[in-house]
Amino acid sequence: MTNVIGVRFRRAGKVYYFSPGKLNIQKDDHVIVETARGVEYGHVVIGMKEVEDDKVIQPLKPVIRLATAQDDAQEEGNREKEREAFQICLEKIRKHKLDMKLIDAEYTFDNNKVLFYFTADGRIDFRELVKDLASVFKTRIELRQIGVRDETKILGGIGICGRPLCCHTHQSEFLPVSIKMAKEQNLSLNPTKISGVCGRLMCCLKHEEETYEELNSRLPGVGDHVTARDGSKGEVSSVNVLRQLVKVIVTLDNEEKEIREYRVEELKFRPRRKKEKNNKRRSEDKELKVLEELERREGKSRLNDN
């Protein structure tokens, strides 16, 4: 077992493990640590705890020190400098007439590097821009192209639920989401209904996936033939997943049809098969796999590179 603390460098950013050493570090403390980008100022979100050795990337870097009042002041000063750097970079982009959208500017704690995050439709030749920025800031410059999910994570916003976006408030990493999850939850496959602010599939589709999978496994499928306790037989016309209710088209003695609603425990039916029933379903799953792969690629964040 290894003693660690969890440190986050950005709001809702990825949590990284560091060794507390002999320091008494508590949750919500601020610490100074060394990362791949240099010396950084981080927020402790997981207090000291022991984790299994195979869950830690060795060698585990130690915490340099607890943040002092001077460190806090420097971090606040860096935030002010980032706002100024953002405006300067905007002017330089206009000067060089580059087709790119600047999203954020970030100083490393030791001011060893300034990072500018941007989005663009394709590749951008920003070599002259970097030279221009380096002459202004007199330090290392890095321009990092990010995707629309990362853009939304940085800028934030309000989702269709009326609450602040999950990725901006608490979700440290993007969840793998797919159209199959929307189908499992009986949602409309209209892109405008299941897409988030970023234009990609909503991350919250993942939140209830396991619940819907469990509830759907207890229900018959639309079109299946079922038998009720009262002896009625019929074809399933629709299901209410959350209430576990099934509407069945029942044929009466006079050959008329009637829709009746039953609780799922009142019905007998064959459980859903895991294997596909026909080539059409297999073809649909093939398309879904392609979409899922594209969605996974879009979901990879380029923000968490400490």
Side-chain angles (χ1 to χ4, degrees):
M1 301 292 282
T2 304
N3 196 27
V4 302
I5 60 167
V7 179
R8 182 176 280 162
F9 300 98
R10 302 177 63 95
R11 179 177 180 176
K14 185 176 178 180
V15 177
Y16 296 88
Y17 284 149
F18 290 87
S19 171
K22 296 181 179 180
L23 297 173
N24 182 21
I25 301 174
Q26 305 296 325
K27 184 180 177 182
D28 292 328
D29 283 345
H30 290 95
V31 292
I32 306 300
V33 296
E34 185 179 354
T35 71
R37 297 197 319 187
V39 177
E40 290 281 13
Y41 176 98
H43 175 221
V44 179
V45 293
I46 301 175
M48 290 193 291
K49 69 170 188 176
E50 289 189 340
V51 298
E52 296 176 5
D53 294 336
D54 59 356
K55 293 184 178 180
V56 177
I57 299 176
Q58 299 292 349
L60 191 64
K61 293 185 177 180
V63 173
I64 297 175
R65 65 177 182 275
L66 282 164
T68 63
Q70 184 178 352
D71 294 327
D72 294 337
Q74 182 174 336
E75 179 67 8
E76 184 61 32
N78 286 346
R79 300 289 81 81
E80 182 63 34
K81 290 168 66 176
E82 286 169 359
R83 288 188 282 272
E84 295 175 4
F86 186 89
Q87 294 302 321
I88 292 171
C89 189
L90 277 179
E91 294 174 6
K92 299 298 183 183
I93 289 173
R94 285 194 288 265
K95 173 186 171 183
H96 291 276
K97 298 180 180 180
L98 295 173
D99 188 16
M100 56 193 286
K101 178 183 176 183
L102 185 64
I103 303 301
D104 196 18
E106 181 183 5
Y107 267 92
T108 57
F109 178 73
D110 55 7
N111 287 190
N112 188 43
K113 183 193 295 185
V114 189
L115 296 95
F116 295 98
Y117 299 98
F118 73 94
T119 59
D121 291 334
R123 293 179 64 86
I124 301 293
D125 185 357
F126 47 69
R127 287 174 293 184
E128 293 303 318
L129 174 62
V130 171
K131 291 178 183 178
D132 208 351
L133 292 171
S135 66
V136 173
F137 296 106
K138 309 297 183 183
T139 189
R140 292 170 60 198
I141 304 294
E142 181 178 333
L143 270 75
R144 186 174 295 180
Q145 186 170 357
I146 60 176
V148 289
R149 283 180 181 260
D150 286 325
E151 176 187 356
T152 305
K153 186 177 182 68
I154 292 174
L155 299 179
I158 302 297
I160 59 173
C161 58
R163 297 175 64 84
L165 299 177
C166 297
C167 62
H168 182 68
T169 53
H170 66 84
Q171 188 174 290
S172 60
E173 295 186 73
F174 292 116
L175 304 172
V177 289
S178 69
I179 290 176
K180 192 173 182 180
M181 294 177 186
K183 292 182 72 175
E184 187 80 24
Q185 296 173 37
N186 292 328
L187 297 175
S188 167
L189 297 186
N190 183 339
T192 61
K193 300 290 186 181
I194 57 176
S195 297
V197 175
C198 61
R200 299 291 185 264
L201 291 175
M202 295 185 295
C203 294
C204 55
L205 289 174
K206 178 72 173 178
H207 296 170
E208 297 178 353
E209 179 198 13
E210 290 184 7
T211 300
Y212 272 90
E213 284 182 349
E214 172 64 24
L215 293 175
N216 276 324
S217 68
R218 305 173 189 170
L219 293 168
V222 175
D224 287 357
H225 292 276
V226 298
T227 303
R229 285 179 183 172
D230 59 13
S232 301
K233 296 182 179 180
E235 182 180 318
V236 176
S237 64
S238 66
V239 295
N240 186 319
V241 180
L242 296 179
R243 293 184 178 181
Q244 294 286 281
L245 297 175
V246 180
K247 286 187 177 180
V248 181
I249 302 174
V250 177
T251 303
L252 305 177
D253 293 337
N254 57 5
E255 298 302 321
E256 291 186 358
K257 295 185 183 294
E258 179 180 277
I259 296 180
R260 296 179 182 176
E261 190 172 64
Y262 297 93
R263 297 196 62 80
V264 67
E265 56 265 23
E266 297 174 346
L267 300 173
K268 292 182 179 180
F269 55 91
R270 288 184 179 182
R272 293 187 180 187
R273 296 181 180 178
K274 294 184 179 180
K275 293 184 178 180
E276 303 308 328
K277 294 182 179 180
N278 52 48
N279 292 334
K280 183 179 178 181
R281 285 288 299 275
R282 283 196 290 269
S283 176
E284 288 175 351
D285 278 357
K286 204 171 189 179
E287 292 175 6
L288 285 174
K289 286 180 180 178
V290 174
L291 287 169
E292 289 171 14
E293 179 62 27
L294 290 172
E295 289 155 1
R296 275 195 292 271
R297 291 177 184 176
E298 282 291 346
K300 289 182 180 179
S301 173
R302 298 194 63 197
L303 295 178
N304 302 316
D305 288 341
N306 281 295

